[in-house]
Amino acid sequence: MSEPRARRWPRVLLLAFLLVAALLQLVPVERGNPAVQTDVAAPSDVDVVLRRACYDCHSNETRWPWYGYVAPVSWLLARHVKKGRADLNFSEWPALDFELQSLALRDIEEQIVQEKMPLGSYTRLHRDATLTRSGRDLLLEWARSQR
């Protein structure tokens, strides 16, 4: 006796969803970490905060989480990291001339004062990356002292 159509549809839809999800995993995503040639010279306490709150998106030392290997989230994550590195890459800091470093420091200051960084979408999943008041003050003091 065959199964009624109304009972088959959920199974068919589930199988179709699983097939599409599996096929999405075949789309290649660039998640590499280029070699780190140089790095920003910051005091150790500033370096700790930068690495905890900034480096996953703004350096060549991204720690790719498990969900960074699951499409379509992997696409979003790779795009965020690519944009973050294009905006500011601490792994390329010494290669910037004085003027570009000064602009980057002003931008860091602005992002911290306006509480735009780190992104809320990032800190929701990475609570340790949330900047405390003391972390914000430390980064602001460092950025202002470098200009």
Side-chain angles (χ1 to χ4, degrees), residues 107-140:
D107 191 43
I108 289 169
E109 182 179 348
E110 181 181 316
Q111 297 293 323
I112 292 170
V113 167
Q114 295 177 4
E115 298 186 12
K116 290 183 177 180
M117 287 288 163
L119 294 175
S121 59
Y122 180 74
T123 57
R124 274 195 247 14
L125 294 173
H126 303 272
R127 297 280 184 203
D128 62 322
T130 302
L131 284 177
T132 62
R133 173 53 47 204
S134 63
R136 286 185 189 288
D137 291 346
L138 183 66
L139 290 180
L140 281 172

Side-chain angles (χ1 to χ4, degrees), residues 21-78:
L23 289 173
L24 289 177
Q25 306 316 307
L26 300 176
V27 177
V29 175
E30 175 56 45
R31 292 183 274 278
N33 280 335
V36 177
Q37 302 297 326
T38 57
D39 206 358
V40 64
S44 61
D45 53 347
V46 172
D47 187 65
V48 167
V49 175
L50 289 173
R51 287 180 182 280
R52 182 175 43 81
C54 309
Y55 266 46
D56 276 347
C57 294
H58 296 285
S59 80
N60 293 346
E61 299 179 50
T62 302
R63 295 170 296 162
W64 297 96
W66 67 267
Y67 54 83
Y69 295 87
V70 180
V73 176
S74 60
W75 306 338
L76 282 170
L77 190 59

Side-chain angles (χ1 to χ4, degrees), residues 93-109:
W93 186 269
L96 300 176
D97 65 29
F98 179 76
E99 187 176 335
L100 288 175
Q101 282 186 9
S102 183
L103 288 171
L105 289 163
R106 280 193 199 106
D107 191 43
I108 289 169
E109 182 179 348

